Amino acid sequence: MDLLQNICKKASLANKRIVLPEGEEPRSVEAAVKISQSKIAKVTLIASEDVIKKKYPGTNLKDVNIFDPKKNSVDKYIDRLFELRKKKGLTREDAVKLVANPLYLGTLMLECGDADGMVAGAINSTGDVLRPALQIIKTAPGISTVSSCFIMIMPKGSKYGQDGVMVFGDCAVMPNPNAEQLADIAIASAASAKSICGIDPKVAMLSFSTKGSAKHELVDKVVEATALAKKYAPDLDIDGELQADAALVESVGKLKSPDSAVAGKANVLIFPDLASGNIGYKLVQRLAGAEAVGPICQGLNKPVNDLSRGCSVEDIVNVVAMTALQCK
Ligand code: ACO
């Protein structure tokens, strides 16, 4: 059984409730049918029942829950949003307007315990999907940074990662993390690698320098983040600063960082900022032919995950399954 099949199987045992706020969008509707039929999760689509009937007349949605905001009361969600954000200057009128946005409504369903996780982004930007979660759901206890990782599944026969599976972070959320935030990203990505992929994490803090080969404030940030991550997670195999070749290639790792438990064996790559992370995962996806699953958000108190706007139905199914595994 491959990794994604395994994740879907584990998700079906978890039996979680996942809300898809882009509920009138064709890929989301098709994914909802597949998820329900394969019992990966219980899905709620936020959608107009009339639009669904008109646009998808032959589709079997009998096991899919449809939440139509025109036919169901949303008052408790407006009350909750107002309560949470009035100290930030939000008025009740603002709350009414925001709850009319399905991304806010879906997030409030999570907040109020009416769903366990949310997946969106087929027709909305990353920022628009995550902002309600950052404002409403907030970070899990003890965590101050929300970040993300991608699960990178290399083509068959690849010598990289654990059985060809690697985790890259952060490629989608924090534009310019400081050393403290980068340490958080490393620890959270290692935890995701373990919980979602069953990987024994070996975390490389990437830079354009290996163990002092270059001097620059951008290198200093990675050195400081590595020290902080080691302090906060002393049992984790983590090392830096490492160049990508020293992290991945055994002979180069031995040459450039001979005493490292990670160099040449890394399966979790931590990029110093969002530019390098986003460019890096897309290069590996396109040039190496890796499957990129994610971004998987880390650090939220309840799981919300973002899709790429180019996502397929299968991508939505997979991200829903992973979201189910992140639910408490
Ligand atoms: N962790 C924890 N809390 C956060 C974080 C974070 N990473 N970022 C923002 N917040 C909190 C803020 O403290 C604030 O809380 P408050 O309102 O209660 O005070 C709230 O979230 C909103 O903060 P803003 O700064 O107004 O949020 P912003 O509009 O900057 O949105 C976002 C945050 C969406 C994560 C932004 O950083 C962003 O757009 N990141 C880049 C996303 C992106 O474009 N990725 C690339 C494409 S993805 C792909 O290719 C797959």
Side-chain angles (χ1 to χ4, degrees), residues 84-85 87-88 125-136 138-139 143-148 150 170-175 181 274 278 281-282 294-295 298-300 306-309:
L84 285 171
R85 302 292 294 175
K87 58 183 179 296
K88 292 272 170 187
S125 70
T126 302
D128 288 347
V129 172
L130 294 186
R131 204 167 293 106
L134 293 169
Q135 293 173 348
I136 296 165
K138 298 279 181 191
T139 51
I143 294 176
S144 55
T145 311
V146 172
S147 64
S148 74
F150 268 88
D170 174 4
C171 309
V173 176
M174 286 229 77
Q181 291 165 330
L274 188 53
N278 192 267
Y281 104 81
K282 284 183 194 286
Q298 318 167 135
L300 284 167
D306 175 44
L307 299 160
S308 156
R309 272 172 282 183

Side-chain angles (χ1 to χ4, degrees), residues 250-272:
E250 195 141 14
S251 56
V252 182
K254 273 194 182 127
L255 193 75
K256 291 188 173 182
S257 186
D259 301 326
S260 172
V262 172
K265 307 182 197 67
N267 50 30
V268 178
L269 300 185
I270 304 303
F271 295 86

Side-chain angles (χ1 to χ4, degrees), residues 11 36 77 108 138 195 201 210-211 217 224 246 259 262 292 296:
S36 309
Y77 302 125
L108 284 153
K138 298 279 181 191
S195 67
T210 300
K211 301 295 172 109
E217 63 193 54
E224 194 187 338
D259 301 326
V262 172
I296 309 291

Side-chain angles (χ1 to χ4, degrees), residues 74-91:
V74 294
D75 287 352
K76 80 169 169 184
Y77 302 125
I78 294 169
D79 292 344
R80 185 70 187 138
L81 181 59
F82 176 54
E83 199 50 43
L84 285 171
R85 302 292 294 175
K86 63 184 178 199
K87 58 183 179 296
K88 292 272 170 187
L90 189 95
T91 64

Side-chain angles (χ1 to χ4, degrees), residues 14-146:
N15 196 27
K16 298 294 180 186
R17 300 162 302 163
I18 307 294
V19 59
L20 301 181
E22 296 158 331
E24 295 171 7
E25 189 277 325
R27 289 162 297 172
S28 303
V29 173
E30 202 178 326
V33 173
K34 285 197 167 175
I35 293 160
S36 309
Q37 282 174 349
S38 47
K39 299 199 180 340
I40 289 168
K42 290 185 207 140
V43 183
T44 296
L45 295 174
I46 297 180
S48 149
E49 281 178 6
D50 294 341
V51 169
I52 292 283
K53 272 189 204 133
K54 218 165 156 184
K55 262 178 98 176
Y56 308 99
T59 309
N60 179 2
L61 287 161
K62 77 176 170 48
D63 294 325
V64 175
N65 187 27
I66 294 175
F67 185 92
D68 183 340
K70 293 220 167 70
K71 296 191 177 161
N72 293 273
S73 168
V74 294
D75 287 352
K76 80 169 169 184
Y77 302 125
I78 294 169
D79 292 344
R80 185 70 187 138
L81 181 59
F82 176 54
E83 199 50 43
L84 285 171
R85 302 292 294 175
K86 63 184 178 199
K87 58 183 179 296
K88 292 272 170 187
L90 189 95
T91 64
R92 219 186 133 74
E93 291 68 45
D94 295 334
V96 171
K97 278 190 202 140
L98 286 176
V99 170
N101 173 345
L103 296 171
Y104 272 85
L105 177 56
T107 308
L108 284 153
M109 290 169 85
L110 243 70
E111 168 64 20
C112 294
D114 297 331
D116 302 309
M118 180 175 110
V119 173
I123 49 170
N124 284 286
S125 70
T126 302
D128 288 347
V129 172
L130 294 186
R131 204 167 293 106
L134 293 169
Q135 293 173 348
I136 296 165
I137 304 287
K138 298 279 181 191
T139 51
I143 294 176
S144 55
T145 311
V146 172

